[in-house]
Amino acid sequence: EGLRFRALARRNQLFGRWAAEQLGLRGSACQAYVRSFVDGAIRSESDEALIERVRRDLAACDDQVSDERIRSALVWATTEATRQVRTETRAPVT
């Protein structure tokens, strides 16, 4: 269960970072935006809620990113987060 939560939090972090890049956020604004996605893992926000949030944020900035691209970014973030957490788990403790 702990690994699952870590993977979910990492996925949200990666997805939030992708969205922040699309929005052109930098520095502390980027960090705060990404942190809010990690907080979403704690609140157990659904995938659809995350997708809708990114869709609204991008639309507010007049950025026309397709739903397919947003969903693809979430799938990538899920795959990458799982890979990262598995790699970290296998790493020997020194």
Side-chain angles (χ1 to χ4, degrees), residues 1-88:
E1 191 64 31
L3 288 177
R4 193 175 116 144
F5 175 77
R6 282 180 46 205
L8 181 62
R10 180 75 53 88
R11 186 244 0 220
N12 284 12
Q13 177 186 34
L14 292 168
F15 186 57
R17 189 174 298 139
W18 175 86
E21 288 173 9
Q22 304 308 303
L23 293 165
L25 298 177
R26 302 282 183 260
S28 61
C30 178
Q31 291 173 352
Y33 189 77
V34 171
R35 193 174 319 112
S36 72
F37 277 78
V38 175
D39 292 344
I42 295 167
R43 292 187 310 270
S44 298
E45 280 184 306
S46 70
D47 291 358
E48 288 305 314
L50 292 173
I51 290 167
E52 180 58 32
R53 177 179 173 194
V54 170
R55 182 184 303 123
R56 279 193 318 265
D57 291 348
L58 291 170
C61 291
D62 256 354
D63 195 340
Q64 300 301 317
V65 175
S66 70
D67 279 0
E68 181 179 324
R69 187 163 168 217
I70 295 169
R71 289 180 187 282
S72 292
L74 185 59
V75 168
W76 167 82
T78 301
T79 303
E80 180 62 16
T82 301
R83 185 195 65 74
Q84 288 179 11
V85 169
R86 283 184 180 156
T87 300
E88 291 166 5

